Amino acid sequence: MSHLFSPLSLGPLSLSNRIVIAPMCQYSAEDGQASDWHTIHLGQLAQSGAGLLILEATAVLPEGRISWADLGLWDEATEAALGKVLASVRRWSKMPIGVQLAHAGRKASTARPWDGGRAIAPDQEHGWQVLAPSALPFLEGEPTPQALDAAGIDEVVEAFAAAARRSVRLGLDLIELHAAHGYLLHQFLSPLSNHRTDEYGGSLENRMRLLLRVFDAVRAAVPATVAVGVRISATDWVDGGWDVEQSIALAKALEARGNHFLHVSSGGLDPRQQIPVGPGYQVPAAEAIKAQIGTPVIAVGLITEPAQAEAILVEGRADAIGLARGILYDPRWPWHAAAALGTHISASPQYLRCEPHEARGLFDVGRCD
């Protein structure tokens, strides 16, 4: 059997295969509320045959949104709107669905990417005061963030826990904490963005403190049947910043707390980053971390070909493969991968008659949703 299409457990959650649809921002919410776009977008991805679908970065507080059009889960209105979308998607798909809970920190209050993605000042339309571990902007000339005080940090921790409780009420199967790509939890981890002198800054132990507090609060807020994991940037790609060695220390600390999976990405914290982009360029970091822990590791980053994904798993470099832009481009990537690797995959009965003549047996009728 193909490794890519073999089952995998992320803590209490069992996946039918090892293809994970990674979170991808859609910038299509209204006051944090999921819209019809999300029904269309998530509906098609839920028909892809992947083992798991993780919703886009979902802000735990209004000021934690990357843009004014980001998805949120901070009150009854945002919970109800997402619940409506999920009910529609689940009517037609049994695919496990998770959510990525996030706070953008100093990278919040921006325009949508197709509107330029620029930072928006607090006194401008769609703008607000951004927060961070230290009063250091992401880019020179951008609005200066406000350094979080002790009460602000406590509010962030509780907001993650509250959003996790809402996730449980929505019946979501998995929660991923976003500690990557230069957002708030990553900002606390990296010495490039965290210049604090209190118990949340300085040493590695102190810089990990907020993420570990959030993780503990979320685990305490949800039942044991819900998988909880973390997405990290394994390296800032900047000398003197967060790196793989520190990521391994964090991975071990999370594992000791019962972390169910680690989703390994990189970069996004500092504009000076020098990223050697190429096929599978982030896999070495995932491999290095996996070698030191027993927690399942998801690799992501320019993994575009079925044989490439299969080889990563066969070689033991990761436990699952995350797809993002690639599955936006080809929402049937898992079907095509199963055909290429000579295995089968489930599909909804409405699609069974599209099975190609050259791939007879591709659709496993017995497992159709």
Side-chain angles (χ1 to χ4, degrees):
M1 176 183 285
S2 159
H3 281 62
L4 187 61
F5 289 92
S6 65
L8 174 68
S9 293
L10 302 179
L13 180 61
S14 297
L15 308 183
S16 62
N17 63 57
R18 297 171 184 243
I19 302 171
V20 174
I21 301 177
M24 293 170 284
C25 290
Q26 295 297 294
Y27 307 99
S28 299
E30 301 165 4
D31 296 323
Q33 299 172 35
S35 67
D36 288 345
W37 174 260
H38 292 93
T39 303
I40 296 168
H41 169 65
L42 297 172
Q44 69 169 338
L45 293 180
Q47 295 296 330
S48 68
L52 172 66
L53 167 59
I54 307 179
L55 306 185
E56 66 195 82
T58 302
V60 299
L61 288 167
E63 61 269 26
R65 292 173 292 172
I66 301 167
S67 81
W68 57 270
D70 276 23
L71 192 63
L73 192 55
W74 61 72
D75 62 9
E76 292 181 1
T78 53
E79 181 180 343
L82 185 54
K84 181 180 178 182
V85 169
L86 291 172
S88 179
V89 173
R90 287 188 175 120
R91 182 182 176 191
W92 301 106
S93 173
K94 296 179 183 179
M95 183 181 293
I97 302 176
V99 63
Q100 184 185 71
L101 299 182
H103 191 303
R106 70 180 186 178
K107 293 182 74 174
S109 187
T110 67
R112 298 175 300 185
W114 54 84
D115 293 328
R118 69 189 183 284
I120 302 175
D123 59 350
Q124 295 179 330
E125 184 182 10
H126 296 315
W128 59 86
Q129 176 60 55
V130 298
L131 304 169
S134 304
L136 302 168
F138 175 67
L139 289 172
E140 185 176 351
E142 289 188 346
T144 300
Q146 176 182 316
L148 281 162
D149 59 15
I153 288 175
D154 290 344
E155 181 183 11
V156 167
V157 174
E158 174 51 33
F160 272 96
R165 289 190 286 270
R166 295 186 186 280
S167 301
V168 173
R169 289 200 292 269
L170 290 170
L172 289 162
D173 302 291
L174 172 146
I175 293 171
E176 177 174 279
L177 303 179
H178 199 356
H181 301 164
Y183 299 122
L184 184 66
L185 298 179
H186 184 185
Q187 291 162 27
F188 269 84
L189 291 174
S190 176
L192 300 177
S193 50
N194 183 348
H195 291 186
R196 299 176 73 96
T197 57
D198 62 3
E199 66 270 31
Y200 291 96
S203 69
L204 175 59
E205 179 183 7
N206 285 355
R207 286 182 280 114
M208 294 193 306
R209 191 180 307 277
L210 177 58
L211 172 54
L212 296 180
R213 274 194 66 189
V214 167
F215 180 86
D216 289 344
V218 168
R219 278 298 308 270
V222 305
T225 53
V226 176
V228 178
V230 180
R231 188 169 197 181
I232 65 168
S233 281
T235 175
D236 290 336
W237 299 109
V238 179
D239 289 342
W242 185 257
D243 56 23
V244 173
E245 183 179 356
Q246 293 172 87
S247 293
I248 291 171
L250 173 62
K252 290 179 177 179
L254 287 167
E255 184 169 64
R257 284 168 160 77
N259 187 37
H260 292 138
F261 66 92
L262 201 67
H263 197 164
V264 180
S265 188
S266 70
L269 181 112
D270 193 297
R272 296 172 294 175
Q273 64 189 17
Q274 297 294 317
I275 304 178
V277 177
Y281 69 101
Q282 293 173 153
V283 174
E287 180 181 15
I289 295 170
K290 175 176 165 54
Q292 299 296 319
I293 59 174
T295 307
V297 170
I298 304 170
V300 68
L302 280 181
I303 302 171
T304 59
E305 301 300 325
Q308 176 194 17
E310 179 77 3
I312 290 167
L313 300 178
V314 169
E315 294 164 7
R317 305 178 73 191
D319 299 287
I321 302 298
L323 300 177
R325 292 172 176 85
I327 205 162
L328 285 184
Y329 185 74
D330 179 7
R332 296 291 183 265
W333 193 95
W335 290 9
H336 303 150
L341 296 173
T343 188
H344 47 68
I345 192 168
S346 63
S348 290
Q350 293 91 335
Y351 290 144
L352 292 180
R353 62 181 175 174
C354 80
E355 184 180 73
H357 288 283
E358 65 274 16
R360 287 304 184 199
L362 171 63
F363 294 143
D364 186 342
V365 178
R367 294 191 296 152
C368 290
D369 295 336

